[in-house]
Amino acid sequence: MQGSARRRPLPGPAPPAGPLPPGRHGVGKAEDTSKTSPFHLDLWFSFTLQNWVLDFGRPIAMIIFPLEWFPLNKPSAGDYFHMAYNVITPFLLLKLIERSPKTLPRSVVYLSIITFVMGASIHLVGDSVNHRLIFSGYQHHLSVRENPIIRNLKPETLIDSFELLYYYDEYLGHSMWYIPFFLILFIYFSGCFEPAARRGRMPAAARLLLGPSSLYYWYLVTEGQLFILFLLTVLAMLALALRRRRRGLLPDSNGRFLLLSFLLGLLLVGAWVGCLWHDGVLRRRYPGPIYVPEPWAFYTLRLARAAP
């Protein structure tokens, strides 16, 4: 009796019931491989809708609303669209990251979101002024110094100021806006994989959203002059998918939707370039080996002049 009492283990705290919190190192990652994620219809629909309304609709709103409502020395309707976009888009991106079945690098995501907001805000100012210049005769298919309303400015140093504005709009703003944007989507895509045995059909809602989603990426790549960045993102996603396939993992419904949207968008960009391949004026506007005309340059060159 005494010997058996000496061998009895001392009482201690009982192990916690259920899984450990996801913040514990090692456990969260072990559970990630067993999770599956349904198609996020609410987020993807909101994402696609606000892209079309707040991004594609910005320059249209600047043109169709009367100047009496939004004078040239005040923000235009499109500027308010842009402000809403700068708030809603990072929110939706963060919600996407939250719903990822895999633990993703939060520091990279947060820094990307911060840079995204800063770049989109820089673009807001430059784009606002550039589009307001349309009402003064500015032609987007011409460079800054080739525009008649800019060429005759005095003193000539004012032309440098407009070139600086164009640099903030088209180069610095776009880089700080779109590089983090595609990086966040790629990071999200890296968590959208599941065992091949569990893979089901893509929902009908996802197939319906493919058209407007891929068409928006066509607009984004052409108007933002992002072909190289977009192509590298698509290639990186394909390479990751092939690598995971060797381990028996395939993209889930969210990953397939994102990848197919990018691939179809890339095909639309190719068709757009093919249709305008022999346009001499646009060729001079976009010299070099990468020839991807902007839709708004095509509009000011071909459609605006033909309008009564």
Side-chain angles (χ1 to χ4, degrees):
M1 293 290 292
Q2 294 179 352
S4 61
R6 284 195 298 267
R7 289 192 299 270
R8 185 177 300 166
L10 294 175
L20 292 176
R24 302 287 181 89
H25 295 289
V27 177
K29 291 184 178 180
E31 292 178 350
D32 289 337
T33 57
S34 63
K35 291 182 180 179
T36 58
S37 181
F39 183 70
H40 307 315
L41 176 60
D42 56 339
L43 290 182
W44 287 121
F45 176 78
S46 301
F47 194 63
T48 304
L49 179 64
Q50 68 94 32
N51 281 337
W52 274 107
V53 175
L54 300 180
D55 192 12
F56 179 79
R58 283 186 299 109
I60 298 176
M62 291 181 183
I63 294 175
I64 65 174
F65 281 97
L67 283 178
E68 293 78 14
W69 297 2
F70 303 96
L72 292 177
N73 61 343
K74 301 294 181 180
S76 69
D79 296 339
Y80 294 109
F81 281 34
H82 206 323
M83 294 174 196
Y85 175 91
N86 291 3
V87 175
I88 295 174
T89 302
F91 173 77
L92 292 177
L93 291 174
L94 285 173
K95 297 302 290 184
L96 272 177
I97 294 296
E98 286 179 6
R99 293 195 190 179
S100 173
K102 179 181 177 182
T103 303
L104 301 175
R106 292 186 177 181
S107 296
V108 177
V109 171
Y110 292 158
L111 286 174
S112 298
I113 290 290
I114 293 170
T115 307
F116 169 90
V117 174
M118 183 175 180
S121 301
I122 290 173
H123 181 268
L124 164 62
V125 178
D127 196 61
S128 174
V129 176
N130 283 333
H131 278 283
R132 302 297 260 173
L133 287 174
I134 294 178
F135 294 99
S136 301
Y138 189 86
Q139 301 176 39
H140 276 288
H141 66 279
L142 299 176
S143 66
V144 174
R145 289 188 177 271
E146 291 176 344
N147 262 271
I149 67 169
I150 304 293
R151 190 168 50 201
N152 299 323
L153 285 177
K154 299 296 180 182
E156 292 187 1
T157 51
L158 285 175
I159 302 178
D160 296 330
S161 299
F162 276 95
E163 285 190 324
L164 175 63
L165 179 68
Y166 185 83
Y167 171 79
Y168 273 113
D169 178 14
E170 296 295 328
Y171 293 99
L172 184 61
H174 279 194
S175 298
M176 296 182 68
W177 179 359
Y178 291 122
I179 291 177
F181 176 79
F182 285 113
L183 178 60
I184 293 169
L185 290 180
F186 176 77
I187 292 174
Y188 171 77
F189 176 76
S190 69
C192 295
F193 286 84
E194 61 186 359
R198 298 183 187 176
R199 186 181 185 184
R201 297 185 61 184
M202 197 163 70
R207 295 195 294 270
L208 290 175
L209 278 178
L210 270 178
S213 177
S214 58
L215 190 60
Y216 170 75
Y217 287 120
W218 159 80
Y219 169 76
L220 183 69
V221 171
T222 53
E223 186 64 29
Q225 295 294 283
L226 307 169
F227 178 74
I228 296 298
L229 176 61
F230 186 67
L231 180 62
L232 291 176
T233 305
V234 173
L235 292 177
M237 292 169 70
L238 289 173
L240 180 63
L242 290 175
R243 181 179 178 183
R244 296 282 177 86
R245 187 183 183 90
R246 298 191 187 120
R247 295 162 50 187
L249 299 174
L250 296 175
D252 62 12
S253 58
N254 295 287
R256 275 179 283 168
F257 173 77
L258 187 58
L259 181 58
L260 288 175
S261 295
F262 277 23
L263 289 173
L264 290 175
L266 193 61
L267 290 177
L268 290 174
V269 173
W272 169 260
V273 172
C275 291
L276 300 177
W277 188 258
H278 299 291
D279 193 306
V281 178
L282 290 176
R283 273 284 183 179
R284 289 194 298 272
R285 177 66 179 86
Y286 302 95
I290 306 299
Y291 170 67
V292 182
E294 299 176 54
W296 278 106
F298 175 79
Y299 169 80
T300 59
L301 175 63
R302 303 298 180 198
L303 302 182
R305 292 181 178 182

